[in-house]
Amino acid sequence: MRNSPYPPIPPIEMPAARTVIAPGRGELFLRDTGGHGPVVMLLHGWVASADLNWCGAYDALAAAGYRVLAIDHRGHGRGLRPLTPFRLSDCAGDAAAALRLLDASPAIVVGYSMGGAIAQLMARDHPEVVSGLVLSGTAQHWQDPETRRAFKALGLVGLMLSLAPAATWRAGLRRVGLKDSPQTAWLLSEMTRHSVPDIVEAGRELGRFDSRPWLAPLAIPTAVVLTSRDDAVPPRKQHELAGALAAEVFEAPIKHLEITTNAQTYNPVLLRALAAVAGREGAAVA
């Protein structure tokens, strides 16, 4: 967005940035609030980044006594740019590697939307780094006909992003009701950090993802923060996910993209889920 009258100033002061060199992977970018409390690893959704997805929750989780780590996935934000196709399983491996290298495992892993698929893969492929699981605004699969039809348009979206990234992102934000503003200027500046080929391939990966054949109740505490007004991941699919895991359900009455704009509703529910998973029923709730 080259002609915005607004500077791309973040809405809050973000937690400290850090990079970790993961052997065989590359340089991983994370936010880290520090502290000595239980570690929570936040996994963001598709076409987001750690900051875009979780900026509304950083302070609340840190104030409740958690050390918060939030990673940018491959091709998203400041994440890795490997010269290989985007794979959700690689994102799970990146997050697990970061926890090991920071001596921060096992951690409670929180996955939102696409991050929920990555969190499921972490629990399956890297169980030793996961002490608890909180899944939100996510599902076991995106194989239903309406979602598959939407994913078929990814080729056209990718072409538009390649030719005119700022204009395409701006059009997308306007479709969800966001007009030019200081906040939108920051959103657009963050979204233009994405790798277009990786974003498109990530959408295709979500269309292929299906944990129904292997997902089962885990030997660790699990919870689902169900976004009950969700207009992207139907609540019935979130209920199915909770049933497959025999997970405790905590209801947050927000739409899919309101995780930051309606943080005052979402964060207390997320904190209750974290407290239950961590066995900290007396923990502070912001």
Side-chain angles (χ1 to χ4, degrees):
M1 186 175 179
R2 300 290 183 182
N3 60 347
S4 171
Y6 305 107
I9 298 175
I12 65 165
E13 184 175 348
M14 300 297 174
R18 69 183 304 165
T19 56
V20 178
I21 303 297
R25 293 181 179 275
E27 187 178 52
L28 309 176
F29 175 89
L30 302 98
R31 295 292 184 184
D32 185 354
T33 64
H36 302 288
V39 177
V40 173
M41 170 65 88
L42 302 177
L43 306 179
H44 67 76
W46 183 42
V47 196
S49 64
D51 291 346
L52 287 172
N53 202 142
W54 296 112
C55 67
Y58 290 148
D59 289 346
L61 270 59
Y66 296 101
R67 177 188 177 186
V68 179
L69 298 172
I71 189 170
D72 276 4
H73 300 309
R74 296 175 173 225
H76 293 68
R78 299 170 177 84
L80 279 171
R81 298 295 194 271
L83 303 178
T84 55
F86 180 98
R87 294 293 180 263
L88 292 169
S89 58
D90 289 333
C91 295
D94 295 339
L99 288 171
R100 294 188 190 101
L101 289 166
L102 294 172
D103 195 23
S105 68
I108 300 172
V109 176
V110 179
Y112 193 80
S113 196
M114 181 185 77
I118 295 169
Q120 292 173 59
L121 290 167
M122 283 185 72
R124 185 192 71 178
D125 298 342
H126 309 277
E128 73 283 356
V129 305
V130 182
S131 64
L133 198 63
V134 178
L135 304 175
S136 184
T138 193
Q140 291 181 273
H141 70 93
W142 283 264
Q143 310 251 333
D144 48 287
E146 57 219 71
T147 304
R148 291 178 71 87
R149 283 195 297 271
F151 282 147
K152 285 183 179 179
L154 284 172
L156 176 60
V157 172
L159 176 62
M160 293 170 61
L161 284 170
S162 298
L163 295 174
T168 303
W169 288 126
R170 181 196 285 183
L173 291 176
R174 284 178 173 167
R175 285 190 65 186
V176 297
L178 295 177
K179 299 180 180 179
D180 290 351
S181 68
Q183 180 187 23
T184 304
W186 175 73
L187 290 172
L188 280 169
S189 71
E190 289 296 296
M191 294 172 82
T192 55
R193 296 183 190 273
H194 299 330
S195 161
V196 172
D198 285 328
I199 290 294
V200 173
E201 184 59 32
R204 295 196 179 105
E205 268 280 273
L206 280 176
R208 294 187 286 260
F209 179 79
D210 189 350
S211 65
R212 287 175 294 181
W214 49 264
L215 193 66
L218 303 173
I220 56 173
T222 58
V224 167
V225 176
L226 191 148
T227 46
S228 60
R229 297 177 59 211
D230 205 307
D231 47 358
V233 181
R236 62 174 176 77
K237 294 180 69 172
Q238 299 182 53
H239 276 295
E240 290 168 1
L241 171 65
L245 285 167
E248 188 172 1
V249 176
F250 298 81
E251 184 174 326
I254 67 166
K255 295 181 179 179
H256 197 74
L257 296 181
E258 291 181 337
I259 185 171
T260 55
T261 59
N262 198 0
Q264 70 274 13
T265 298
Y266 183 80
N267 287 344
V269 183
L270 174 60
L271 284 166
R272 287 198 295 273
L274 284 169
V277 167
R280 303 174 77 218
E281 282 75 7
V285 177

